Amino acid sequence: MPIPRNLSALILAAAFLLGGCASRGPVPTFYDFGPAAPLAAATAAPAVPVLVIADANGPSWLDSQRMYYRLLYADAQQSRPYAYNRWNTPPLQLLSQRLKTRVAQSGVKVLSTTDAAAGMPLLRIDVDDFSQNFDTQAQSSGHVSLRASLFRGHRLIDQKTFSRSGPAGSADAQGGAQALAAASDAIAADLLTWLGTLNITKE
């Protein structure tokens, strides 16, 4: 008995749908830094009432949502992406926002470069490294390294390099995300301490 034409079309459509579902890989998991915890009680007044913070610069691979790691025990020169794990936002943007949040939490009014007036102090961030490093198959850490430069007008007030590492709680992307968030918060605390030592208001 011949199959009705409309029933044949339905069978074909169902076959395509089932084939499409079977061919899909795992759904990607997305990470970010999580909410910023409140800062500890301030012991000193902010170094400057208003600070312009430019968005962080860095290598092109940090301007994508891919999560990278290095196997230091196998090939430290090769940076490898996780297959099914991503950042919600590229690391340069994540780090920029976390630093701005931490500076604002300290009592400083944070402005972007588009809102700044002439003569306001400007903080520029250049990121050198932001990756999860595996010392062994079961042990890894999150490493963040950046260079902070503070300007007023066209004059460089000071420049300093910051580097922080923190152990990952698990040898996977989740552990790496948590370790990188902690290392970024530690650098933010170091940055605030450094800003507090500078005479930013002096012309």
Side-chain angles (χ1 to χ4, degrees), residues 33-94:
F33 285 171
L39 290 179
T43 57
V48 64
V50 181
L51 182 63
V52 180
I53 302 181
D55 290 336
N57 296 308
S60 58
W61 60 274
L62 290 179
D63 202 18
S64 77
Q65 291 177 256
R66 305 193 80 174
M67 298 182 72
Y68 287 90
Y69 64 93
R70 293 179 187 274
L71 303 180
L72 300 184
Y73 62 89
D75 186 358
Q77 282 69 48
Q78 184 178 3
S79 183
R80 309 161 189 255
Y82 278 104
Y84 301 110
N85 298 280
R86 301 284 188 273
W87 292 108
N88 275 338
T89 307
L92 290 178
Q93 296 180 33
L94 281 175

Side-chain angles (χ1 to χ4, degrees), residues 121-177:
L122 167 69
L123 181 66
R124 190 177 71 194
I125 302 295
D126 295 287
V127 183
D128 296 318
D129 192 21
F130 184 93
S131 59
Q132 181 181 9
N133 297 328
F134 282 83
D135 295 311
T136 68
Q137 290 184 354
Q139 185 176 6
S140 69
S141 61
H143 180 71
V144 180
S145 178
L146 60 81
R147 184 172 60 262
S149 304
L150 186 66
F151 294 87
R152 185 148 203 163
H154 296 289
R155 181 171 64 91
L156 176 65
I157 297 175
D158 199 6
Q159 183 181 89
K160 188 171 182 178
T161 296
F162 298 91
S163 183
R164 282 282 193 158
S165 295
S170 56
D172 53 17
Q174 181 180 4

Side-chain angles (χ1 to χ4, degrees), residues 25-29 84:
V27 177
T29 302
Y84 301 110

Side-chain angles (χ1 to χ4, degrees), residues 36-42 101-107 185 188-189 192:
L39 290 179
T101 297
R102 288 307 193 190
V103 173
Q105 285 179 328
S106 74
D185 279 338
L192 286 171

Side-chain angles (χ1 to χ4, degrees), residues 7-57:
L7 182 59
S8 298
L10 288 173
I11 293 173
L12 285 173
F16 278 120
L17 286 174
L18 289 173
C21 292
S23 64
R24 291 177 185 172
V27 177
T29 302
F30 292 87
Y31 295 94
D32 56 25
F33 285 171
L39 290 179
T43 57
V48 64
V50 181
L51 182 63
V52 180
I53 302 181
D55 290 336
N57 296 308

